[in-house]
Every structure is written in structure tokens, then in C-alpha cells.
């Protein structure tokens, strides 16, 4: 896996730039990843990201937008407002977890 520097940290990423090591993520890395894709983080963004990370640890796979709505309590419409166009992909990228299954 390639290694790159994000927010002054050396991290492992895949071909698409997603982190491959869960423990290499921190909020500075998340903020830098968000900035890379034009997302300005707010407290609500962080709530979603923290849910995604906690859920990944519990479930062993990345939550889909449906799960973020049902379990995380963030309506799909709001997910699209916070993370425009491809919310599942953008949320997982920022959270440092793999893309959800079925995500292009």
C-alpha cells in the first residue's frame, strides 16, 4: 500500500486515497481529507464522522447511507446536504474507513 503524508502524518492509503489503517486516523487527518474534497467541517459533520468510525469498529464494515439514517439518525437528505453528490463515499473517505459495499 502506498504511504502518503496527510496533516503531517505518514498514513497508508489505497489507490483511491482511502486510508487502509484505521488507527492512523485522527481529527487533523480527517479535517485535511475533508479539505481535499472541498468539505468544510462543522460540528454536525463531525457527529456523522464519529458515528461512522464507532459503527465501523462495532460492525466491522462501513455503514451505508441507509444505516447512517436508521441507526445514526441522520436523514439521507441531510447527508446529501453535508456531503454533496456522493455522501457515502465522502463520509467514509473523511472518516478513514473503507467505502461501503456497493459504493462506486
Amino acid at each position: 500500500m502506498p504511504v502518503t503524508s496527510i496533516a503531517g502524518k505518514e498514513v497508508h492509503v489505497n489507490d483511491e486515497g482511502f486510508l487502509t489503517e484505521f488507527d492512523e486516523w485522527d481529527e487533523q487527518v480527517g479535517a485535511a481529507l475533508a479539505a481535499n474534497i472541498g468539505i468544510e467541517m462543522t460540528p454536525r459533520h463531525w457527529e456523522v464522522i464519529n458515528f461512522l468510525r464507532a459503527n465501523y469498529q462495532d460492525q466491522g464494515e462501513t455503514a451505508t447511507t441507509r444505516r447512517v439514517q436508521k441507526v445514526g439518525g441522520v436523514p439521507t437528505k441531510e447527508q446529501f446536504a453535508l456531503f454533496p453528490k456522493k455522501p457515502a463515499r465522502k463520509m467514509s473517505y473523511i472518516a478513514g474507513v473503507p467505502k461501503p459495499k456497493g459504493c462506486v
Side-chain angles (χ1 to χ4, degrees), residues 15-31:
D15 299 349
E16 296 178 281
F18 285 77
L19 268 63
T20 58
E21 301 295 326
F22 185 83
D23 294 331
E24 292 180 346
W25 185 94
D26 61 26
E27 282 196 10
Q28 290 77 28
V29 170

Side-chain angles (χ1 to χ4, degrees), residues 1 4 6 11-14 16-26 29-30 33 53 92-99:
M1 287 289 148
T4 190
I6 299 172
V11 295
H12 293 82
V13 296
N14 65 16
E16 296 178 281
F18 285 77
L19 268 63
T20 58
E21 301 295 326
F22 185 83
D23 294 331
E24 292 180 346
W25 185 94
D26 61 26
V29 170
L33 291 169
R53 289 189 57 78
S92 57
Y93 175 77
I94 295 166
V97 298
K99 288 186 302 186

Side-chain angles (χ1 to χ4, degrees), residues 62 64 88-89 98-104:
T62 304
T64 60
R89 182 181 180 88
K99 288 186 302 186
K101 290 181 176 148
C103 189
V104 180

Side-chain angles (χ1 to χ4, degrees), residues 73-88:
V74 183
T76 303
K77 203 173 211 179
E78 184 179 2
Q79 292 176 51
F80 273 89
L82 292 168
F83 305 95
K85 296 188 179 163
K86 295 185 176 185

Side-chain angles (χ1 to χ4, degrees), residues 34-73:
N36 285 349
I37 58 172
I39 303 284
E40 187 175 327
M41 298 297 283
T42 65
R44 186 61 168 162
H45 285 90
W46 286 116
E47 286 177 35
V48 176
I49 296 306
N50 290 329
F51 167 78
L52 226 58
R53 289 189 57 78
N55 189 262
Y56 180 80
Q57 279 191 299
D58 290 344
Q59 301 296 312
E61 64 182 18
T62 304
T64 60
T65 53
R66 175 171 282 184
R67 183 166 178 83
V68 173
Q69 175 178 316
K70 296 283 185 194
V71 179

